[in-house]
Amino acid sequence: MRSNIKLKKKFKFENLVIWQKAMVLGEEMDRVLERFPKKEMYNLSSQIRRAADSIALNISEGSIVQSKPEFRKFIGYSIRSLAEVVSCLYKARNRKYMTETEFDLKYDEAFNLMNMMIAFRKKI
């Protein structure tokens, strides 16, 4: 008989604040994208979604590799994906798909996460 109690196994990356914040950013960006025009579904919306999701995905993938240099490389991929999200935010703001206030909030969130990831990569 199976128990209904779910035991959560902890992966190393689940304890990383940068992964947790990247997960939140990805979900928040997904909600913002719901308001974008349909014409952007396969263009800017898709690009932002993939880049935002890639941040957390690369952190988790890098955390399970065997070497520190390899982990640093994956954090670098995450940083690049975050920079891509920021450029997409500018595109979205310039096209009036988001307000200046929304842009500022997401920009600040991205900037803080970028600084955290850079500091984390230096400590690896």
Side-chain angles (χ1 to χ4, degrees):
M1 180 190 281
R2 294 184 112 179
S3 171
N4 288 338
I5 299 172
K6 291 186 178 184
L7 297 176
K8 186 174 182 182
K9 295 183 179 179
K10 290 283 191 175
F11 287 90
K12 179 180 174 180
F13 61 84
E14 292 176 292
N15 296 312
L16 298 174
V17 173
I18 58 171
W19 178 81
Q20 295 165 5
K21 289 186 176 288
M23 289 292 289
V24 170
L25 179 64
E27 299 312 307
E28 290 174 354
M29 289 308 305
D30 194 60
R31 283 189 288 283
V32 168
L33 296 172
E34 290 175 3
R35 297 188 317 270
F36 278 32
K38 293 286 185 209
K39 71 178 186 175
E40 292 290 2
M41 185 184 310
Y42 299 109
N43 295 313
L44 189 60
S45 296
S46 175
Q47 190 70 27
I48 294 173
R49 187 173 282 114
R50 286 182 285 116
D53 287 348
S54 182
I55 300 165
L57 295 173
N58 278 304
I59 292 168
S60 61
E61 186 176 353
S63 75
I64 62 167
V65 296
Q66 299 299 315
S67 71
K68 289 181 180 182
E70 190 76 3
F71 192 10
R72 279 192 292 275
K73 182 170 79 171
F74 277 90
I75 297 298
Y77 296 153
S78 292
I79 291 168
R80 290 180 189 109
S81 292
L82 182 55
E84 185 176 344
V85 168
V86 171
S87 291
C88 289
L89 287 173
Y90 274 102
K91 290 281 190 187
R93 185 198 62 186
N94 293 347
R95 294 176 187 177
K96 309 280 191 254
Y97 301 157
M98 62 190 321
T99 67
E100 194 70 34
T101 301
E102 286 176 310
F103 172 84
D104 289 343
L105 288 171
K106 293 298 159 225
Y107 182 91
D108 289 345
E109 192 175 338
F111 184 77
N112 291 333
L113 180 55
M114 176 81 68
N115 286 330
M116 290 176 72
M117 289 193 300
I118 290 169
F120 180 80
R121 184 175 62 175
K122 287 179 182 176
K123 290 183 180 182
I124 298 175

